[in-house]
Amino acid sequence: MNQLLQVSSLSRAYRSGEVETRALDSVSFEVAAGEFVALMGPSGCGKSTLLNILGFLDAPDEGSYRLRGEEVATLSEARLTRLRRAHAGFVFQSFNLIDELNVAENVEVALLYRGADARRRRVEAVLDQVGLAHRARHRPRQLSGGQQQRVAIARALAPEPDLLLADEPTGNLDSANGAAVMDLLKSAAAGGTTVIMVTHSALHAAAADRTIRMLDGRIVGETRL
Ligand code: ADP
């Protein structure tokens, strides 16, 4: 398999005053390009910390993170920002769309480094992909929760990232809308985008190629489906 990323002995602690919390404690795994991985575990076990490091929002204290064989754990803030723009897309439980912008403009925000024509074409293509081309001029609050999450997925996929990181993307959705979001994530993975999704839903985890279970900052189990 074509390996996209490899983390080994990744650790991250938060310190406030005298108190230290080991959010990640020597975590190691590999993910192939186009793989769909579900990350599960109780609240506080380190899932968001891991997702932030994988998406270049945060750096580990110790350990290695290789992206296509290149070490990124020790890069500067500026290099991490460039990697994030080029390689990572994020989807959150709360959608995080900008209410003052319409749907097309929300997606366009992810493409500010492209020329105007290329931007417009890509926005149209990716809204079509999530089935919302007809809602391009609507504001986010005029859409259902499920539609808003599909816009957020379009925004994340617009720059054609290698890695899509989703933090409980179906957490605020009913089962029909959750299933539609899962279908989009699955088709993104089938198209070659690596998807790493935090979820509390066993049903949605079962749609992934692999489930990684965490507890107290460590990996305690893996299931390949
Ligand atoms: P999860 O996403 O699984 O709920 P997190 O990665 O958010 O877990 O948190 C892991 C641990 O690190 C928790 O004990 C949490 O309280 C702690 N933590 C997370 N972020 C911070 C922070 N910014 N400052 C201090 N502690 C933090």
Side-chain angles (χ1 to χ4, degrees):
M1 259 200 289
N2 181 7
Q3 187 180 294
L4 178 73
L5 65 86
Q6 176 182 43
V7 298
S8 62
S9 305
L10 217 59
S11 295
R12 175 76 168 94
Y14 296 105
R15 286 168 204 86
S16 57
E18 304 277 278
V19 185
E20 185 188 85
T21 308
R22 287 186 77 81
L24 290 180
D25 188 3
S26 204
V27 164
S28 304
F29 61 92
E30 296 174 4
V31 181
E35 201 177 355
F36 188 170
V37 177
L39 208 53
M40 299 190 84
S43 177
C45 74
K47 303 179 300 294
S48 302
T49 302
L50 180 57
L51 223 53
N52 287 345
I53 292 174
L54 294 177
F56 319 105
L57 286 167
D58 188 20
D61 300 321
E62 286 168 48
S64 160
Y65 174 12
R66 288 174 183 273
L67 183 74
R68 295 191 197 288
E70 191 201 341
E71 183 59 62
V72 299
T74 51
L75 293 182
S76 67
E77 195 84 18
R79 297 274 315 273
L80 285 180
T81 301
R82 280 206 291 278
L83 276 179
R84 188 160 70 237
R85 285 195 191 122
H87 298 289
F90 289 87
V91 178
F92 303 95
Q93 181 173 2
S94 52
F95 323 136
N96 293 12
L97 300 175
I98 302 170
D99 274 330
E100 291 69 32
L101 301 180
N102 69 30
V103 163
E105 290 162 345
N106 264 281
V107 175
E108 205 175 342
V109 162
L111 296 168
L112 293 181
Y113 301 92
R114 298 193 187 185
D117 281 351
R119 248 180 5 233
R120 190 179 40 75
R121 281 196 303 274
R122 184 65 189 143
V123 169
E124 277 174 18
V126 82
L127 282 180
D128 204 39
Q129 190 181 338
V130 302
L132 287 174
H134 61 303
R135 293 285 182 266
R137 306 287 156 227
H138 283 60
R139 293 295 180 91
R141 63 176 164 276
Q142 297 174 302
L143 305 180
S144 72
Q147 289 173 326
Q148 289 186 52
Q149 192 62 302
R150 280 151 59 196
V151 175
I153 291 172
R155 178 182 59 188
L157 291 176
E160 298 165 280
D162 292 316
L163 196 53
L164 183 67
L165 300 154
D167 200 345
E168 295 190 51
T170 60
N172 282 340
L173 303 179
D174 62 29
S175 61
N177 281 305
V181 160
M182 287 303 299
D183 284 344
L184 283 178
L185 297 180
K186 273 191 277 186
S187 66
T193 307
T194 300
V195 180
I196 303 182
M197 171 187 72
V198 168
T199 185
H200 290 294
S201 159
L203 179 71
H204 292 158
D209 300 316
R210 176 159 53 126
T211 301
I212 295 179
R213 283 187 306 284
M214 294 180 68
L215 184 66
D216 294 338
R218 291 174 170 269
I219 292 179
V220 293
E222 268 196 60
T223 317
R224 264 181 205 280
L225 299 160

Coordinates of all heavy atoms in Angstrom, one line a residue, residues 123-170:
V123 N -15.1 25.9 -7.2 CA -16.2 26.0 -6.3 C -17.5 25.3 -6.9 O -18.1 24.5 -6.2 CB -16.6 27.5 -6.0 CG1 -17.9 27.6 -5.3 CG2 -15.5 28.1 -5.2
E124 N -17.7 25.5 -8.2 CA -18.8 24.9 -8.9 C -18.7 23.3 -8.8 O -19.6 22.6 -8.5 CB -18.9 25.3 -10.3 CG -19.6 26.6 -10.5 CD -19.6 27.2 -11.9 OE1 -19.3 26.4 -12.9 OE2 -19.8 28.4 -12.1
A125 N -17.5 22.9 -9.1 CA -17.3 21.4 -9.2 C -17.5 20.8 -7.8 O -18.1 19.7 -7.7 CB -15.8 21.1 -9.7
V126 N -17.0 21.4 -6.8 CA -17.0 20.7 -5.5 C -18.4 20.9 -4.9 O -18.9 20.0 -4.2 CB -15.9 21.3 -4.6 CG1 -16.2 22.6 -4.0 CG2 -15.4 20.2 -3.6
L127 N -19.2 22.0 -5.2 CA -20.6 22.1 -4.7 C -21.4 21.0 -5.5 O -22.4 20.5 -4.9 CB -21.1 23.5 -4.9 CG -20.7 24.5 -3.9 CD1 -21.2 25.9 -4.2 CD2 -21.0 24.1 -2.5
D128 N -21.1 20.8 -6.7 CA -21.8 19.8 -7.5 C -21.6 18.4 -6.8 O -22.5 17.6 -6.7 CB -21.3 19.8 -8.9 CG -22.3 19.2 -9.9 OD1 -23.5 19.5 -9.7 OD2 -21.8 18.5 -10.8
Q129 N -20.3 18.2 -6.5 CA -19.9 16.9 -5.8 C -20.7 16.6 -4.6 O -21.0 15.4 -4.3 CB -18.4 17.0 -5.5 CG -17.8 15.7 -5.1 CD -16.3 15.9 -4.8 OE1 -15.6 16.9 -5.3 NE2 -15.7 15.0 -4.0
V130 N -21.0 17.6 -3.8 CA -21.8 17.4 -2.5 C -23.3 17.6 -2.7 O -24.0 17.7 -1.8 CB -21.2 18.3 -1.4 CG1 -19.8 18.0 -1.1 CG2 -21.5 19.8 -1.6
G131 N -23.7 17.8 -4.0 CA -25.1 17.9 -4.3 C -25.8 19.3 -3.9 O -27.0 19.3 -3.6
L132 N -25.0 20.4 -3.8 CA -25.5 21.6 -3.4 C -25.3 22.8 -4.3 O -25.3 24.0 -4.0 CB -24.9 22.0 -2.0 CG -25.5 21.2 -0.8 CD1 -24.7 21.5 0.4 CD2 -26.9 21.4 -0.6
A133 N -25.1 22.5 -5.6 CA -24.8 23.5 -6.6 C -26.0 24.5 -6.6 O -25.8 25.7 -6.8 CB -24.6 22.9 -8.0
H134 N -27.2 24.0 -6.4 CA -28.4 24.8 -6.5 C -28.6 25.7 -5.2 O -29.5 26.5 -5.1 CB -29.7 23.9 -6.6 CG -29.9 22.9 -5.5 ND1 -28.9 22.0 -5.2 CD2 -30.9 22.8 -4.7 CE1 -29.4 21.3 -4.1 NE2 -30.6 21.7 -3.8
R135 N -27.7 25.6 -4.2 CA -27.8 26.4 -3.0 C -26.6 27.4 -2.9 O -26.3 27.9 -1.9 CB -27.8 25.5 -1.8 CG -29.0 24.6 -1.6 CD -30.2 25.5 -1.1 NE -31.4 24.6 -0.9 CZ -32.3 24.5 -1.9 NH1 -32.2 25.1 -3.1 NH2 -33.4 23.8 -1.6
A136 N -25.9 27.6 -4.0 CA -24.6 28.4 -4.0 C -24.8 29.8 -3.4 O -23.9 30.3 -2.8 CB -24.1 28.4 -5.4
R137 N -26.0 30.4 -3.7 CA -26.2 31.8 -3.3 C -27.0 31.9 -1.9 O -27.3 33.0 -1.5 CB -27.0 32.6 -4.3 CG -26.4 32.5 -5.7 CD -25.2 33.4 -5.8 NE -24.4 32.9 -6.9 CZ -23.1 32.7 -6.9 NH1 -22.4 32.9 -5.8 NH2 -22.4 32.2 -7.9
H138 N -27.3 30.7 -1.3 CA -27.9 30.8 0.0 C -26.9 31.1 1.1 O -25.7 30.8 0.9 CB -28.5 29.4 0.3 CG -29.8 29.2 -0.4 ND1 -29.9 29.2 -1.8 CD2 -31.1 28.9 0.1 CE1 -31.2 28.9 -2.1 NE2 -31.9 28.8 -1.0
R139 N -27.4 31.6 2.2 CA -26.5 31.8 3.4 C -26.6 30.5 4.2 O -27.6 29.8 4.2 CB -27.1 32.9 4.2 CG -27.0 34.3 3.6 CD -25.5 34.7 3.4 NE -25.3 36.0 2.8 CZ -25.3 37.1 3.6 NH1 -25.3 37.1 4.9 NH2 -25.1 38.3 2.9
P140 N -25.6 30.2 5.0 CA -25.6 29.0 5.8 C -26.8 28.8 6.6 O -27.4 27.7 6.7 CB -24.3 29.1 6.7 CG -23.4 30.0 5.8 CD -24.3 30.9 5.1
R141 N -27.3 29.9 7.2 CA -28.5 29.7 8.1 C -29.8 29.4 7.4 O -30.8 29.0 8.0 CB -28.7 30.9 9.1 CG -29.0 32.2 8.3 CD -29.2 33.3 9.3 NE -29.2 34.6 8.7 CZ -28.1 35.3 8.4 NH1 -26.9 34.8 8.9 NH2 -28.1 36.4 7.8
Q142 N -29.7 29.5 6.1 CA -30.9 29.1 5.3 C -30.9 27.6 4.9 O -31.8 27.1 4.2 CB -31.0 29.9 4.0 CG -31.1 31.4 4.2 CD -31.0 32.2 3.0 OE1 -30.1 32.2 2.3 NE2 -32.1 33.0 2.7
L143 N -29.9 26.9 5.4 CA -29.7 25.5 5.1 C -30.0 24.6 6.3 O -29.8 25.1 7.4 CB -28.3 25.2 4.5 CG -27.8 26.0 3.3 CD1 -26.4 25.6 3.0 CD2 -28.7 25.8 2.1
S144 N -30.3 23.4 6.1 CA -30.4 22.4 7.2 C -29.0 22.1 7.7 O -28.0 22.4 7.0 CB -31.1 21.1 6.7 OG -30.2 20.4 5.9
G145 N -28.9 21.5 8.9 CA -27.6 21.1 9.4 C -26.9 20.2 8.5 O -25.7 20.3 8.3
G146 N -27.6 19.2 7.9 CA -26.9 18.3 7.0 C -26.4 19.0 5.8 O -25.2 18.7 5.3
Q147 N -27.1 19.9 5.3 CA -26.6 20.7 4.1 C -25.4 21.5 4.5 O -24.4 21.6 3.8 CB -27.7 21.6 3.6 CG -28.8 20.8 2.9 CD -30.0 21.7 2.5 OE1 -30.3 22.7 3.2 NE2 -30.6 21.4 1.3
Q148 N -25.5 22.1 5.7 CA -24.3 23.0 6.2 C -23.1 22.1 6.3 O -22.0 22.5 5.9 CB -24.6 23.6 7.5 CG -25.7 24.7 7.4 CD -25.8 25.4 8.7 OE1 -24.9 25.9 9.3 NE2 -27.1 25.6 9.2
Q149 N -23.2 20.9 6.8 CA -22.0 20.0 6.9 C -21.5 19.6 5.5 O -20.3 19.5 5.3 CB -22.4 18.8 7.8 CG -21.1 18.0 8.2 CD -20.2 18.8 9.0 OE1 -19.7 19.9 8.6 NE2 -19.9 18.3 10.2
R150 N -22.4 19.5 4.5 CA -22.0 19.2 3.2 C -21.2 20.4 2.6 O -20.2 20.2 1.9 CB -23.1 18.7 2.3 CG -23.5 17.3 2.6 CD -25.0 17.0 2.4 NE -25.4 17.3 1.0 CZ -26.7 17.4 0.7 NH1 -27.7 17.2 1.6 NH2 -27.0 17.6 -0.6
V151 N -21.6 21.6 2.9 CA -20.8 22.8 2.5 C -19.4 22.7 3.1 O -18.4 23.0 2.5 CB -21.6 24.1 2.9 CG1 -20.7 25.3 2.5 CG2 -22.9 24.2 2.2
A152 N -19.4 22.4 4.4 CA -18.1 22.3 5.1 C -17.2 21.3 4.5 O -16.0 21.5 4.4 CB -18.3 22.0 6.6
I153 N -17.8 20.2 4.1 CA -17.0 19.1 3.4 C -16.5 19.6 2.0 O -15.4 19.4 1.7 CB -17.8 17.8 3.3 CG1 -18.0 17.2 4.6 CG2 -17.1 16.8 2.3 CD1 -19.0 16.0 4.7
A154 N -17.4 20.4 1.3 CA -17.0 20.9 0.0 C -15.8 21.9 0.3 O -14.8 21.9 -0.5 CB -18.1 21.7 -0.6
R155 N -15.9 22.7 1.3 CA -14.8 23.7 1.6 C -13.5 22.9 1.9 O -12.4 23.3 1.4 CB -15.2 24.5 2.8 CG -14.1 25.5 3.2 CD -14.5 26.3 4.4 NE -14.9 25.5 5.6 CZ -15.4 25.9 6.7 NH1 -15.7 27.2 6.9 NH2 -15.7 25.0 7.7
A156 N -13.6 21.8 2.7 CA -12.4 21.1 3.1 C -11.8 20.4 1.9 O -10.6 20.3 1.8 CB -12.8 20.0 4.1
L157 N -12.7 19.9 0.9 CA -12.1 19.2 -0.2 C -11.7 20.1 -1.4 O -11.0 19.6 -2.3 CB -13.2 18.2 -0.8 CG -13.6 17.0 0.1 CD1 -14.7 16.2 -0.5 CD2 -12.3 16.1 0.3
A158 N -12.1 21.4 -1.3 CA -11.9 22.3 -2.5 C -10.4 22.3 -2.9 O -10.1 22.2 -4.1 CB -12.4 23.7 -2.2
P159 N -9.5 22.5 -1.9 CA -8.0 22.6 -2.4 C -7.4 21.2 -2.7 O -6.2 21.1 -2.9 CB -7.3 23.2 -1.2 CG -8.4 23.5 -0.2 CD -9.6 22.7 -0.5
E160 N -8.2 20.1 -2.8 CA -7.8 18.8 -3.1 C -6.7 18.3 -2.1 O -5.5 18.0 -2.5 CB -7.3 18.7 -4.5 CG -8.5 19.0 -5.5 CD -8.0 19.2 -6.9 OE1 -7.6 20.4 -7.2 OE2 -8.1 18.3 -7.7
P161 N -7.0 18.3 -0.8 CA -6.0 17.9 0.2 C -5.7 16.4 0.1 O -6.5 15.6 -0.3 CB -6.7 18.3 1.5 CG -8.2 18.1 1.2 CD -8.4 18.5 -0.2
D162 N -4.5 16.0 0.6 CA -4.2 14.6 0.8 C -5.0 14.0 1.9 O -5.2 12.8 2.0 CB -2.7 14.5 1.1 CG -1.8 14.8 0.0 OD1 -2.2 14.4 -1.2 OD2 -0.8 15.5 0.2
L163 N -5.3 14.9 2.9 CA -5.7 14.4 4.2 C -7.0 15.2 4.6 O -7.0 16.5 4.6 CB -4.6 14.7 5.2 CG -4.5 14.1 6.5 CD1 -4.6 12.6 6.4 CD2 -3.2 14.5 7.2
L164 N -8.1 14.5 4.9 CA -9.3 15.1 5.4 C -9.5 14.7 6.9 O -9.6 13.5 7.1 CB -10.5 14.7 4.6 CG -11.8 15.4 4.9 CD1 -11.8 16.8 4.6 CD2 -13.0 14.7 4.2
L165 N -9.5 15.7 7.8 CA -9.6 15.4 9.2 C -10.9 15.9 9.7 O -11.3 17.0 9.6 CB -8.5 16.1 9.9 CG -7.1 15.7 9.4 CD1 -6.0 16.8 9.6 CD2 -6.7 14.4 10.1
A166 N -11.7 14.9 10.2 CA -13.1 15.2 10.6 C -13.3 14.9 12.0 O -13.1 13.8 12.5 CB -14.0 14.4 9.7
D167 N -13.7 15.9 12.8 CA -13.9 15.8 14.3 C -15.4 15.7 14.6 O -16.1 16.7 14.6 CB -13.3 17.0 15.0 CG -13.0 16.6 16.4 OD1 -13.5 15.6 16.9 OD2 -12.2 17.4 17.1
E168 N -15.9 14.5 14.8 CA -17.3 14.2 15.0 C -18.2 14.8 13.9 O -19.1 15.6 14.3 CB -17.7 14.6 16.4 CG -17.0 13.8 17.5 CD -17.6 14.0 18.8 OE1 -18.8 13.9 19.0 OE2 -16.8 14.3 19.8
P169 N -18.0 14.6 12.7 CA -18.7 15.3 11.6 C -20.2 15.0 11.6 O -21.0 15.8 11.1 CB -18.1 14.8 10.3 CG -17.5 13.5 10.7 CD -17.1 13.6 12.1
T170 N -20.6 13.9 12.2 CA -22.1 13.6 12.2 C -22.7 13.8 13.6 O -23.8 13.5 13.8 CB -22.3 12.1 11.8 OG1 -21.6 11.3 12.8 CG2 -21.7 11.8 10.5

